[in-house]
Amino acid sequence: MSDSAPTTSERGIAARQRRMTTRTSVKLGENIAQGVITVGGLMVIVAVMGIMVFLFRVVMPLMAGGELQGNTRYQLDTQQDVIWINGDEFQTLGIAVAAEGRVITYHIPSGTEVARDQFDFRGAEVTAVAGTLQRDRVAFGFDDGVVRFATLGVQTTTTAQRALPGGLIDLDGRDRMLDGRVYTEVGTGDFRTLFGEIELGDGQQISELPIIAIDYRIGGTRERPTIAFATVDADNQVRVSQSRVQINMMTGAETVSTTTTDLPPLVGLAADAMVTGILLSGTGDRAIVASDDGVVYRYDLRDMDNPSLAEVRRVADDGVAVTAMTFLSGEETLVVGTEDGGLNAFFRLQTGTTDTTDGRELMRARTHAPMPASIVDLSEAQRQKEFVAIDAEGNVWVYHSTSDQVLFELARSGDVSTDSSGMIFPRSNGVMLVSQGGEVEAWQYTQRHPEVTLGVLFSKIWYEGYMEPTYVWQSTAGTDLAEPKYSLVPLVFGTFKAAFYAMIFAVPIALMAAIYTSEFVDKRVRGTVKPMMEMMESLPTVVLGFIAALVLAPLVEEWIGAVLLGFFALPMGLMIGAFAWQALPAQIALKYDGFPKFTLMGLSILITAWVAAQLGTSLERVLFYGDFKQWTTGRIGTGTPFMFLILLPVSYFVTAWAFRKQFGHHYRDLISGLGRSRAGMVDAGRWIVLLLVAMLLSFLVAYALTLIGYDPRGSFIDSYQQRNALVVGFIMAFAVIPNIYTLAEDALNSVPGHLRAASLACGATPWQTARWVILPTAASGVFSAVMMGMGRAVGETMIVVMAAGNTPIMEWNIFSGLRTLSANIAIELPEAVKDGTNYRVLFLAALTLFIMTFVINTGAELIRQRFRKRAFNL
């Protein structure tokens, strides 16, 4: 057969076949879309990883150790034993005082002598010396019982470059000197000028015996300064003296009046024991004396007309002497060094003990790492809870008391056979030691975040003023002397607490609403309700927080009884509406099923809410003795009423379960033979009876718990605060419900229709179908919806900032405030100093929140996959 041209039909078939192939443009578009999606997904992963890397970079310096930057050692020409040293905050100018009154001002980096002065001690020998925290005011005690005061400070001024004197002598690459002044060029081109302020005051006769221990404090105002000092003489007589200085503003003349009070004797001090030191508080309310038998004596000086020996406290083992002690900044912590190298920190706490005269006692709060040999000197930092300890073998260790860590373990490189005294520079960035022989050794270091360790962040710490170790967040205080508290545990707790109470309210409402609109309402009603719920998600959380703080919180406080009653009234309103609808004739119920039914339910809930509002005051009067807020404090009433309300839902479920187990099949046989309306009324009567039985059971259990001593107050119920977790739970649930509802409703609607049809065809009711078929099948989607809602609740910021009271406390009390990680970041980050400790800890809080969210989402995804596998088997 010869070839012939294709017919028209054949060409049409060929054309149709060609049209069934994918065009090149479509393939190209798909490839481009696939590439864009892939790149977008990778960019998201990279962005998330980049955020985590950035957070780690900001946070890691918190865990970094200190870094030594330099060390210098030289010999001063004192020719006498050095008894006191001081240095300025720039580590430029130092002052050393020798035993016979020689005062040398020297350049700290090079050891060059800048100036030399001589105090006239009038032939007396210095037997004790002490100074203020700033070390610029010093008291000397002499062997003739005289006390004299001196000024040994470093003054700082600024000299313009054009006013710089000629003939300056270079000290090093940074500093120059002339006529007892040291000039340092600063970034502006001007010169910082430092010089010593050296002055010795007149003496005061305190005792006829040598002064063996002394301490010195300055207070008052500029116009009326007060000088307080405590002394111990060779006869172990303790005295406290107070001098008031009045300055005539017209003439500048000073009038000094001094009063000296003998304190009670050191009861129990052995005859051969010796006093090794004395401390006086800056407020003058207490003095502490240490002895070489391991005991300290605390005096109560609040009434100087009648001082008392308040406490005798053993701080070391028998036979172990207290060799050094000091107050840390703020004078709330007493650090005691002992002969065996031990270092312990004590707090003076109001314990109510009867063993002391004032109800206070010294409690050992921290035991620091011991040093190898006997402690010979302790010196505190001026601005932080740091101190330097020197032992008899020349070890120099820098401690941070709050974080309980040794920051630096230094060692003298010179002669360690002579004792030395040390100091931490005012900026806590270096240590200077001067031996009795005049050998100076100084270290410069950097330790930016000594107050932070993993233990501080996540463990209990015993802070000043607290009765026991605890978790505390308090990054700032009214004074710089307070120790910052950086525990993240209260913030993590507050985050979970806010999310917990929000989810308690949000999950039942959102899931029940999703099941109701998905399985029971008319499609027209669903088409109206679902978009309205989704629109709720667009409400700004700052608006919700504003409403919660200024409207909802005062309203809940005023109508707390109605609010509590509403928890029961609203479900009851829903049940009443359901039973009312069930009592209608079948033809009416079928005719008006849809929006009228939905309207009836809404009206029923509104009516019961109105009834709850009217009965709220009566409920408060009957169950809570007329004042709910007073009741929460535990001052009136018992815990029975609230436990009755808490146990009522549980009691109802127990009662309903028992009824179903015992009489369920008989009851089903009974109502199966009744008409719709009559069956509805019988079922309503059953519900009322079960509710009354549940109320009786709940009351009996609550009363029994009260009889055995249980009271919920003080645990999850405590004193009422206006901005509390209840308000946060309400408003955050309002923000979370649309998210959970939308995702859960979509998951329920995505269940194949043949599963519903099969279940209904087998005789199951719509509720049984929803419970046993639809919900298990959509479990993965529903669980994802819940976890998405929880993720939003965990990360919510503005609602918590405005409505939670921002109190970082750890208690489950639903009526108290809280502070979350996100809220804490929002509140404190704008005022945090860049790269400061608080700044980095706030970034650590962000990293903690990031990790928490990652762990929760990962766990949720694993559980969701299990739900999906189960759904595939249906």
Side-chain angles (χ1 to χ4, degrees), residues 751-806:
V751 175
H754 65 268
L755 293 179
R756 290 186 180 85
S759 176
L760 294 173
C762 290
T765 65
W767 170 246
Q768 290 172 330
T769 300
R771 181 181 177 186
W772 299 110
V773 177
I774 306 302
L775 193 57
T777 305
S780 62
V782 172
F783 182 77
S784 296
V786 173
M787 297 311 297
M788 288 288 288
M790 184 176 179
R792 177 169 181 181
V794 167
E796 179 55 50
T797 302
M798 293 311 300
I799 291 177
V800 182
V801 168
M802 303 179 73
N806 292 315

Coordinates of all heavy atoms in Angstrom, one line a residue, residues 751-806:
V751 N -10.7 16.2 57.3 CA -10.9 14.7 57.5 C -11.8 14.3 56.3 O -12.9 14.9 56.1 CB -11.5 14.4 58.8 CG1 -11.9 12.9 58.9 CG2 -10.6 14.8 59.9
P752 N -11.5 13.2 55.6 CA -12.4 12.8 54.5 C -13.8 12.6 54.9 O -14.1 12.0 56.0 CB -11.7 11.5 54.0 CG -10.3 11.6 54.5 CD -10.3 12.4 55.8
G753 N -14.7 13.0 54.0 CA -16.2 12.9 54.3 C -16.6 11.4 54.5 O -17.6 11.2 55.2
H754 N -16.0 10.5 53.8 CA -16.5 9.1 53.9 C -16.3 8.5 55.3 O -17.0 7.6 55.6 CB -15.7 8.2 52.8 CG -14.3 8.1 53.1 ND1 -13.3 8.9 52.5 CD2 -13.6 7.2 53.8 CE1 -12.1 8.5 52.9 NE2 -12.2 7.5 53.7
L755 N -15.4 9.1 56.0 CA -15.2 8.6 57.4 C -16.4 9.0 58.3 O -17.0 8.2 59.1 CB -13.9 9.1 58.0 CG -12.6 8.6 57.4 CD1 -11.4 9.2 58.1 CD2 -12.6 7.1 57.6
R756 N -16.9 10.3 58.1 CA -18.1 10.7 58.8 C -19.3 9.9 58.3 O -20.1 9.4 59.2 CB -18.4 12.2 58.4 CG -17.4 13.2 59.0 CD -17.9 14.6 58.7 NE -17.0 15.6 59.3 CZ -15.9 16.0 58.7 NH1 -15.6 15.6 57.5 NH2 -15.2 17.0 59.2
A757 N -19.4 9.7 57.0 CA -20.6 9.0 56.5 C -20.6 7.5 57.1 O -21.6 7.0 57.4 CB -20.6 9.0 55.0
A758 N -19.4 6.9 57.1 CA -19.4 5.5 57.6 C -19.8 5.5 59.1 O -20.5 4.5 59.5 CB -18.0 5.0 57.4
S759 N -19.3 6.4 59.8 CA -19.6 6.4 61.3 C -21.1 6.6 61.5 O -21.7 5.9 62.3 CB -18.8 7.5 62.0 OG -19.1 7.6 63.3
L760 N -21.7 7.6 60.8 CA -23.1 7.9 61.0 C -23.9 6.7 60.5 O -25.0 6.4 61.0 CB -23.5 9.2 60.2 CG -22.8 10.4 60.8 CD1 -23.1 11.6 59.8 CD2 -23.3 10.7 62.2
A761 N -23.5 6.1 59.4 CA -24.2 4.9 58.9 C -24.2 3.7 59.8 O -25.1 2.9 59.8 CB -23.6 4.5 57.5
C762 N -23.2 3.7 60.7 CA -23.1 2.6 61.7 C -24.0 2.9 62.9 O -24.0 2.1 63.8 CB -21.7 2.3 62.1 SG -20.7 1.6 60.8
G763 N -24.7 4.0 62.9 CA -25.5 4.4 64.0 C -24.9 5.3 65.0 O -25.6 5.6 66.1
A764 N -23.7 5.8 64.8 CA -23.1 6.7 65.8 C -23.8 8.1 65.7 O -24.2 8.5 64.6 CB -21.6 6.8 65.5
T765 N -23.8 8.8 66.8 CA -24.4 10.1 66.8 C -23.3 11.1 66.3 O -22.1 10.7 66.2 CB -24.8 10.5 68.3 OG1 -23.6 10.6 69.1 CG2 -25.8 9.5 68.9
P766 N -23.7 12.3 65.9 CA -22.7 13.3 65.5 C -21.6 13.5 66.5 O -20.4 13.7 66.2 CB -23.5 14.5 65.2 CG -24.8 14.0 64.8 CD -25.1 12.8 65.7
W767 N -22.0 13.5 67.8 CA -21.0 13.7 68.9 C -20.0 12.6 68.9 O -18.8 12.7 69.1 CB -21.6 14.0 70.2 CG -20.7 14.0 71.3 CD1 -20.6 13.1 72.4 CD2 -19.6 14.9 71.6 NE1 -19.6 13.4 73.2 CE2 -18.9 14.5 72.8 CE3 -19.1 16.0 70.9 CZ2 -17.8 15.1 73.3 CZ3 -18.0 16.6 71.4 CH2 -17.4 16.2 72.6
Q768 N -20.6 11.3 68.9 CA -19.7 10.1 68.9 C -18.8 10.1 67.7 O -17.6 9.7 67.8 CB -20.6 8.9 68.9 CG -21.3 8.7 70.3 CD -22.3 7.6 70.2 OE1 -22.9 7.3 69.2 NE2 -22.5 6.9 71.4
T769 N -19.3 10.5 66.5 CA -18.5 10.6 65.3 C -17.4 11.6 65.5 O -16.2 11.3 65.1 CB -19.4 11.0 64.1 OG1 -20.4 10.0 64.0 CG2 -18.5 11.1 62.9
A770 N -17.7 12.7 66.0 CA -16.6 13.8 66.2 C -15.6 13.3 67.2 O -14.4 13.6 67.1 CB -17.3 15.1 66.7
R771 N -16.1 12.6 68.3 CA -15.1 12.2 69.4 C -14.3 11.1 69.0 O -13.1 11.1 69.3 CB -16.0 11.9 70.6 CG -15.1 11.6 71.8 CD -16.0 11.3 73.0 NE -15.2 10.8 74.2 CZ -15.8 10.4 75.3 NH1 -17.1 10.3 75.4 NH2 -15.0 10.0 76.3
W772 N -14.8 10.0 68.4 CA -14.1 8.8 68.2 C -13.6 8.6 66.8 O -12.8 7.7 66.5 CB -15.0 7.6 68.5 CG -15.5 7.6 69.9 CD1 -16.8 7.8 70.4 CD2 -14.7 7.4 71.1 NE1 -16.8 7.8 71.7 CE2 -15.5 7.5 72.2 CE3 -13.3 7.1 71.3 CZ2 -15.1 7.3 73.5 CZ3 -12.9 7.0 72.6 CH2 -13.8 7.1 73.7
V773 N -14.0 9.4 65.8 CA -13.5 9.3 64.4 C -12.8 10.5 63.9 O -11.6 10.5 63.5 CB -14.7 8.9 63.5 CG1 -14.2 8.9 62.0 CG2 -15.4 7.7 63.9
I774 N -13.5 11.7 64.0 CA -12.9 12.9 63.4 C -11.7 13.4 64.2 O -10.7 13.7 63.6 CB -14.0 14.0 63.3 CG1 -15.3 13.5 62.6 CG2 -13.5 15.2 62.7 CD1 -15.0 13.0 61.2
L775 N -11.9 13.5 65.5 CA -10.8 14.1 66.3 C -9.6 13.2 66.3 O -8.5 13.7 66.1 CB -11.3 14.3 67.8 CG -10.4 15.1 68.7 CD1 -10.2 16.5 68.1 CD2 -11.0 15.2 70.1
P776 N -9.6 11.9 66.4 CA -8.4 11.1 66.3 C -7.7 11.2 64.9 O -6.5 11.2 64.8 CB -8.9 9.6 66.6 CG -10.1 9.8 67.4 CD -10.8 11.0 66.9
T777 N -8.6 11.3 63.9 CA -8.0 11.4 62.6 C -7.2 12.7 62.4 O -6.2 12.7 61.7 CB -9.1 11.2 61.5 OG1 -9.8 10.0 61.7 CG2 -8.5 11.2 60.1
A778 N -7.8 13.8 62.9 CA -7.2 15.1 62.8 C -6.3 15.4 63.9 O -5.9 16.6 64.1 CB -8.3 16.1 62.7
A779 N -5.9 14.4 64.7 CA -5.1 14.7 65.9 C -3.8 15.4 65.7 O -3.4 16.3 66.4 CB -4.9 13.4 66.7
S780 N -3.2 15.1 64.6 CA -1.9 15.7 64.3 C -2.1 17.2 64.0 O -1.3 18.0 64.5 CB -1.2 15.0 63.1 OG -2.0 15.2 61.9
G781 N -3.1 17.5 63.2 CA -3.4 18.9 63.0 C -3.8 19.7 64.2 O -3.5 20.8 64.4
V782 N -4.7 19.0 65.0 CA -5.2 19.7 66.2 C -4.0 19.9 67.2 O -3.9 21.0 67.8 CB -6.3 18.8 66.9 CG1 -6.6 19.4 68.2 CG2 -7.5 18.8 66.0
F783 N -3.1 18.9 67.3 CA -2.0 19.1 68.2 C -1.1 20.2 67.7 O -0.6 21.0 68.5 CB -1.2 17.8 68.3 CG -0.1 17.8 69.2 CD1 -0.2 17.8 70.6 CD2 1.2 17.9 68.7 CE1 0.9 17.8 71.4 CE2 2.3 18.0 69.6 CZ 2.1 17.9 70.9
S784 N -0.9 20.3 66.4 CA -0.1 21.4 65.8 C -0.7 22.7 66.2 O 0.0 23.7 66.4 CB 0.1 21.2 64.3 OG 0.8 20.0 64.0
A785 N -2.0 22.8 66.1 CA -2.7 24.1 66.4 C -2.5 24.5 67.8 O -2.2 25.6 68.1 CB -4.2 23.9 66.1
V786 N -2.5 23.5 68.7 CA -2.3 23.8 70.2 C -0.9 24.2 70.4 O -0.6 25.2 71.1 CB -2.6 22.5 71.0 CG1 -2.2 22.8 72.5 CG2 -4.1 22.2 71.0
M787 N 0.1 23.6 69.8 CA 1.5 23.9 69.9 C 1.8 25.3 69.3 O 2.6 26.1 69.8 CB 2.4 22.9 69.3 CG 2.3 21.5 70.0 SD 2.4 21.6 71.8 CE 4.0 22.3 72.1
M788 N 1.1 25.6 68.2 CA 1.3 27.0 67.6 C 0.8 28.0 68.6 O 1.4 29.1 68.8 CB 0.6 27.0 66.3 CG 1.2 26.3 65.2 SD 2.7 27.1 64.6 CE 2.0 28.5 63.7
G789 N -0.3 27.7 69.2 CA -0.9 28.7 70.2 C 0.1 28.8 71.4 O 0.3 29.9 71.9
M790 N 0.6 27.7 71.8 CA 1.6 27.7 73.0 C 2.8 28.5 72.6 O 3.3 29.3 73.4 CB 1.9 26.3 73.4 CG 2.8 26.3 74.6 SD 3.2 24.6 75.2 CE 4.2 25.0 76.6
G791 N 3.3 28.3 71.4 CA 4.5 29.1 70.9 C 4.2 30.6 70.9 O 5.1 31.4 71.3
R792 N 3.0 31.0 70.6 CA 2.7 32.4 70.6 C 2.6 32.9 72.1 O 3.0 34.0 72.4 CB 1.4 32.7 69.9 CG 1.0 34.2 70.0 CD -0.1 34.6 69.1 NE -0.4 36.0 69.3 CZ -1.3 36.6 68.6 NH1 -2.1 36.0 67.7 NH2 -1.5 37.9 68.8
A793 N 2.0 32.0 72.9 CA 1.9 32.4 74.3 C 3.2 32.6 75.0 O 3.5 33.5 75.8 CB 1.0 31.4 75.1
V794 N 4.2 31.6 74.7 CA 5.5 31.7 75.3 C 6.2 33.0 74.8 O 7.0 33.6 75.6 CB 6.3 30.4 74.9 CG1 7.8 30.6 75.2 CG2 5.7 29.2 75.6
G795 N 6.1 33.4 73.6 CA 6.8 34.5 73.1 C 6.1 35.8 73.2 O 6.6 36.9 72.8
E796 N 4.9 35.8 73.7 CA 4.1 37.1 73.8 C 4.8 38.1 74.7 O 5.4 37.7 75.8 CB 2.7 36.8 74.4 CG 1.8 38.0 74.5 CD 1.7 38.8 73.2 OE1 1.4 38.2 72.2 OE2 2.0 40.0 73.3
T797 N 4.8 39.3 74.3 CA 5.6 40.4 75.0 C 4.7 41.5 75.6 O 4.6 41.7 76.8 CB 6.6 41.0 74.1 OG1 7.5 40.0 73.6 CG2 7.4 42.0 74.8
M798 N 4.0 42.2 74.7 CA 3.3 43.4 75.1 C 2.2 43.2 76.1 O 2.0 43.9 77.0 CB 2.8 44.2 73.9 CG 3.8 44.7 73.0 SD 5.1 45.6 73.8 CE 4.2 46.9 74.6
I799 N 1.4 42.1 76.0 CA 0.4 41.8 76.9 C 1.0 41.6 78.3 O 0.5 42.1 79.3 CB -0.4 40.5 76.5 CG1 -1.2 40.9 75.2 CG2 -1.3 40.1 77.6 CD1 -2.0 39.7 74.6
V800 N 2.1 40.8 78.4 CA 2.7 40.5 79.6 C 3.3 41.8 80.2 O 3.2 42.1 81.4 CB 3.8 39.4 79.5 CG1 4.4 39.1 80.8 CG2 3.1 38.2 78.9
V801 N 3.9 42.6 79.4 CA 4.6 43.9 79.9 C 3.5 44.8 80.5 O 3.8 45.4 81.6 CB 5.2 44.6 78.7 CG1 5.6 46.0 79.1 CG2 6.5 43.9 78.3
M802 N 2.3 44.8 79.9 CA 1.3 45.8 80.4 C 0.4 45.3 81.4 O -0.2 46.0 82.2 CB 0.5 46.3 79.2 CG 1.4 47.0 78.1 SD 0.5 47.5 76.7 CE -0.3 49.0 77.4
A803 N 0.2 43.9 81.5 CA -0.8 43.4 82.3 C -0.4 42.5 83.4 O -1.2 42.1 84.3 CB -1.9 42.6 81.5
A804 N 0.9 42.1 83.5 CA 1.4 41.1 84.4 C 2.0 41.6 85.7 O 2.4 40.9 86.6 CB 2.4 40.1 83.7
G805 N 2.2 42.9 85.8 CA 2.8 43.5 87.0 C 4.3 43.5 87.0 O 4.9 44.2 87.8
N806 N 4.9 42.7 86.1 CA 6.4 42.6 85.9 C 7.1 42.4 87.2 O 8.1 43.0 87.6 CB 6.9 43.9 85.3 CG 6.4 44.1 83.8 OD1 6.5 43.1 83.1 ND2 5.9 45.2 83.5

